[in-house]
Amino acid sequence: MSQFIIETAVLVRQPFFTTCHSPTFSKRLPQEMTIFTLKRTPSSSTQTNNRIPFPTLPIEIREQIYSLIIFPKPRTTAHNYSTVSAADAIHGADPRYPYFLPELCRVSEATRLEVGLFFIRNTEFGLLYPQHCIYFAQFLRTFPANDGFAALRRLDLQLFSRHRPDAGQKNAYIELMKKCEGVTEVRMKFEMWYLLKQRLDYSSRAQFTIDELEQRSRETLDLDRIVAVYRLEGMLELPGLTRWTIEVWPRIHVFTTVGIITAVPDCWPLMEGLVEWARKGFAERGRRVEVRLVENGNAGLRWAEGVVRA
């Protein structure tokens, strides 16, 4: 119930009549009665409580409210996940509003900036193709200064090994990460048939005998070549990185003279060597970064979490 205070008291005199009865006559006599009229208004404390501007709330409270609005469903991880897709590269689309951005960001420009940065900090972004790095960077540039890049914390590169940079070119994924000094976690997937000296693509028309398949499946790129081809030295330059997960899909599917078969190259010594190379590189720079090796459950996009190998 609202609390009220008395603002004014007005004295009003109004005439009324009463009847006087006696044994000899009956007569209506004029009389006067005093009436107080009280005017009530809401107290100042009630007005203040009902009109607290949202932007004046502490940022911790505002972000709790944003979380309930943007991430209403219970999550199995501590952060949200969103994939940057070709839908974000529609010609002429406003880079400020990619499809994955919460609708709340459209309330006003000030809301877009605050809620957008909160969303970036609490989301793991999946970049499938190098071209998506360009579109994603355009979105990050819509924030003042370097705030958009600085807010990024997590990246997932499920098709990383499929895209070798051309000779003399840099790795688009890693160049984007270099601009994002706040990146702390990266997941990077390698598929073994892209690490063979001669790729044995399952869709290739080439026919191999069983003996040829077994021989060629053992001919992988060496460690130095993998580091050079994918420009992995750049990963050691990321200042905020605390966890680098290297995922591996170890199987290859190829045509042979007896049909399509699956081979499993002995890739683990090679990939364990890559993990040790990364750990040593960070240690030499005085960095403490967790580098993990995970066996993934399928080629292409992830269906489930893999098994930690090292």
Side-chain angles (χ1 to χ4, degrees):
M1 179 181 295
S2 299
Q3 298 178 353
F4 294 87
I5 60 173
I6 297 176
E7 185 180 74
T8 58
V10 181
L11 177 63
V12 180
R13 293 183 182 274
Q14 296 181 351
F16 77 103
F17 294 86
T18 185
T19 302
C20 179
H21 299 278
S22 72
T24 58
F25 65 93
S26 175
K27 185 178 181 181
R28 292 172 59 83
L29 302 176
Q31 302 290 328
E32 286 187 347
M33 180 178 69
T34 301
I35 300 174
F36 286 93
T37 301
L38 303 179
K39 185 177 180 181
R40 297 182 297 177
T41 60
S43 68
S44 59
S45 61
T46 301
Q47 290 178 323
T48 301
N49 291 338
N50 289 339
R51 299 181 181 178
I52 297 177
F54 182 79
T56 65
L57 292 173
I59 184 62
E60 294 82 5
I61 295 179
R62 297 203 304 273
E63 290 191 345
Q64 288 184 30
I65 296 173
Y66 296 152
S67 181
L68 293 174
I69 296 173
I70 299 173
F71 314 124
K73 297 180 180 180
R75 303 199 302 269
T76 56
T77 60
H79 52 267
N80 182 50
Y81 188 94
S82 181
T83 299
V84 179
S85 73
D88 299 306
I90 298 175
H91 181 70
D94 191 337
R96 296 178 302 166
Y97 300 106
Y99 89 98
F100 57 76
L101 199 64
E103 288 295 321
L104 182 60
C105 294
R106 296 179 179 270
V107 171
S108 67
E109 179 63 9
T111 303
R112 184 187 76 86
L113 296 178
E114 181 167 293
V115 178
L117 292 175
F118 168 79
F119 178 77
I120 294 171
R121 288 195 301 271
N122 290 276
T123 299
E124 180 181 15
F125 289 94
L127 299 177
L128 299 181
Y129 305 103
Q131 295 86 345
H132 292 173
C133 296
I134 299 174
Y135 314 139
F136 192 55
Q138 290 175 348
F139 162 66
L140 297 177
R141 289 192 187 97
T142 65
F143 294 88
N146 197 48
D147 291 352
F149 291 94
L152 187 63
R153 297 290 182 270
R154 303 167 191 86
L155 281 175
D156 183 21
L157 312 174
Q158 296 193 58
L159 303 182
F160 181 83
S161 65
R162 298 189 182 189
H163 305 286
R164 297 184 185 181
D166 293 333
Q169 299 296 315
K170 297 180 179 180
N171 190 307
Y173 300 111
I174 295 177
E175 292 306 304
L176 173 63
M177 287 186 276
K178 287 181 180 179
K179 298 177 182 178
C180 304
E181 297 184 356
V183 168
T184 58
E185 299 180 23
V186 174
R187 292 197 284 178
M188 182 181 294
K189 186 174 180 180
F190 290 89
E191 299 171 62
M192 278 312 300
W193 62 70
Y194 292 101
L195 301 183
L196 298 176
K197 289 183 179 180
Q198 181 177 353
R199 299 184 190 180
L200 303 177
D201 196 320
Y202 70 90
S203 63
S204 173
R205 294 181 180 179
Q207 299 290 313
F208 300 100
T209 65
I210 298 297
D211 292 339
E212 290 174 333
L213 174 61
E214 292 179 351
Q215 176 61 33
R216 298 187 185 201
S217 67
R218 290 193 293 268
E219 297 175 353
T220 62
L221 300 176
D222 60 31
L223 176 59
D224 292 340
R225 182 61 177 160
I226 292 175
V227 171
V229 164
Y230 290 101
R231 319 292 194 260
L232 294 180
E233 285 280 357
M235 293 295 295
L236 305 179
E237 302 174 14
L238 304 181
L241 190 65
T242 59
R243 174 181 286 186
W244 179 10
T245 300
I246 298 174
E247 299 183 344
V248 179
W249 168 244
R251 296 169 176 78
I252 60 175
H253 305 286
V254 294
F255 287 99
T256 71
T257 54
V258 295
I260 302 175
I261 67 172
T262 299
V264 183
D266 185 15
C267 61
W268 297 113
L270 173 64
M271 302 313 294
E272 289 169 355
L274 177 60
V275 170
E276 290 304 316
W277 168 86
R279 290 172 177 170
K280 181 179 179 181
F282 287 119
E284 291 175 348
R285 291 164 173 75
R287 302 274 307 284
R288 297 184 62 181
V289 178
E290 178 186 2
V291 184
R292 304 193 309 160
L293 180 62
V294 175
E295 180 179 355
N296 200 270
N298 56 277
L301 302 185
R302 185 185 303 104
W303 295 344
E305 298 300 321
V307 179
V308 177
R309 296 289 298 250

